[in-house]
Amino acid sequence: MVTLAEVAQHAGVSASTVSYVLSGKRSISANTRQRVERSIRELGYHPNAGARALASSRSNIIALMVPLRTDMYVPVMMEIAIAVATAARTHGYDVLLLTGEEGPDAVRRVAGSGLADGMILMDVELDDERLPLLRATDQPSVLIGLPADTTGLTCVDLDFRATGALCVEHLAKQGHQDIAVIGEAPAVYERHTGFAERTLDGLRSRSRELGVRLLHRPCDGGYDAMAVTLARILDERPGTTGIIVQNESAVEPLLALLRQQGRAVPEDVSVVAICPDQVATQASVRLTSVAIPAQEMGRHAVEHLVAKFEGRGSDEVVLIAPELTVRGSTGPAPTRP
Amino acid sequence: MVTLAEVAQHAGVSASTVSYVLSGKRSISANTRQRVERSIRELGYHPNAGARALASSRSNIIALMVPLRTDMYVPVMMEIAIAVATAARTHGYDVLLLTGEEGPDAVRRVAGSGLADGMILMDVELDDERLPLLRATDQPSVLIGLPADTTGLTCVDLDFRATGALCVEHLAKQGHQDIAVIGEAPAVYERHTGFAERTLDGLRSRSRELGVRLLHRPCDGGYDAMAVTLARILDERPGTTGIIVQNESAVEPLLALLRQQGRAVPEDVSVVAICPDQVATQASVRLTSVAIPAQEMGRHAVEHLVAKFEGRGSDEVVLIAPELTVRGSTGPAPTRP
DNA sequence: AATAGGTATCGAAGCGCTTCGACAACCTAT
DNA sequence: ATAGGTTGTCGAAGCGCTTCGATACCTATT
């Protein structure tokens, strides 16, 4: 392993000079800089991460806590994780992957050991058990998702309330009076996951304002669960003409079932999905949808965290405005025979 | 931040004694050990990761390189990543998430900086550009996936060759003579991804042995691509009665299309999928499938890597035997009218 | 001509831990 | 009673880096 000292010797300067070339924290003459850089290249020098962390008390690592669960939005989670990792690299940080397995203790461990300079938490619940710990340490952090109480926290999320409202609006504008919402798995609501409840909130209040009828039913993914859920919905509200789906793994089963029952999309039923664009465009019907901006969320989270590291941070809630893309699955409500 | 020295003082022992209590590398009297452990608890001490890494030249971190691409198997990748992270924790390691973004340089950077003690590479191509670098460093590593040349490498993978063979066998045994294979996206084959080619290999050689006709077509995910691919297949081989799918995002579109064309599964067409169990059980038809054992692969990879750290490692290729689970999507070939 | 202010570099201290050799203190077998 | 072995503990030396004065030189100002 090549060390700083070896580079210094090779370049004929002192170790501190090499360090300053690397960090740019003091001015170095062009001549010296070039000599040092050349030595670094020739020797194939890489600074030792541990030594660096010890001396500077900064690890240049961001911890990312992803949920262990696999009952929802897996591809989105993955996309966010990759976006975080990629964005972090552009700021000179690496990402440490923490699973839910360890629970809240992971927060303590990471903060205590100086393993990471800060952390990003995904899949935050409304009353998340990690939050008290987070507030207790002075560990800089950013949440992806919105807890009930955001005081003293920085959060990034899609504005799910607005998303719900937007979906209802779009359908109402086309004359749909009876709208059904196919939601996430029941477990997601039982956990009081922020985004699910907020979406529901937006859906309900906007439909109240617009005077349309709304029926919400949670639904596990998969064909069978969807079949049961859809049957119940149509039983309870036979006049349903608009459906909003917020569950990736229910999308395709829903479309298959509607097709099978001879209900045409969008002639008989309009469908709006809340899902990644990839799902919306690859479905058997091009779905009108509100996208989950995974990339953007990951990027924002990293940028806010890095800002905090540099002292320019502020506690703030960043809600990304939803965008509804009209594709082929929505149209005017059929006129009642 | 509490330090070792503070713990030592609090417990009335020397720093080295505390260190030995922590590492267990020298015997410590029960009395002393308890006093030290008590002090650790009372002070809320966490060893500093950087200092530890510097002094011991072990970081207790495993680097995991995931592909950046999102054109295939995203949920599987995520599942493997989580399995790796979880398994790593049980051995006292954390996981650093590296994306493909940085390319092969990441290998150099991680190896050079001592950031990680070893690395796990996912999504290995047959002739992967990271491999020469990996062989050049003495960085312990494990691949998930199989390159063309495995000398000096440790690899873990599902035996995709056997998987292909198994699928053909199952269909042939039921009397299917004309089998179509719906493969991964063309890009996957162009990249020479090991698993895709190996599967194909197994499919081809077994079908040759069994004397059944096999038609392989790559296919991008999504409904439209699937529609085109299926039409071509049925055009070219109208007598096709067995279909093998190796592309998660083609599964549901395929089933929808078959349904739409009035081809019953499994009465008219038998379908075997190569996909995670979750997909197979949640599809609109319970799919006979060969599962991708993501958990097992992640766990194996970590265990082999840890074994290498401890000097018990060996270069070896671990192929996990495929298991075909019969569900409702396969049956005897229809007798030709 | 003397001084102030920059700029470029060095030396040394120290970050918090691991680990090696030393050494008491005790036990056991002669 | 003594040599030889254990066992438990300590002190000190570093691991490779950052960073804080200090210093030496150079240019601009009075």
Side-chain angles (χ1 to χ4, degrees), chain A residues 81-104:
Chain A
I82 289 184
V84 165
T86 308
R89 280 304 309 147
T90 73
H91 293 270
Y93 289 84
D94 274 297
V95 169
L96 200 73
L97 186 67
L98 264 27
T99 64
E101 183 81 317
E102 217 177 331

Side-chain angles (χ1 to χ4, degrees), chain A residues 45 54 147 207:
Chain A
Y45 168 71
L54 177 56
S207 59

Side-chain angles (χ1 to χ4, degrees), chain B residues 14 16-17 26-27 29 32 54-55:
Chain B
S14 77
S16 50
T17 301
R26 283 202 184 172
S27 51
S29 70
T32 306
L54 178 56

Side-chain angles (χ1 to χ4, degrees), chain B residues 305-333:
Chain B
L305 192 55
V306 170
K308 283 194 176 187
F309 294 158
E310 296 171 358
R312 327 180 255 103
S314 54
D315 290 339
E316 111 191 66
V317 173
V318 180
L319 291 183
I320 300 173
E323 285 182 29
L324 187 143
T325 306
V326 179
R327 297 198 184 82
S329 67
T330 49

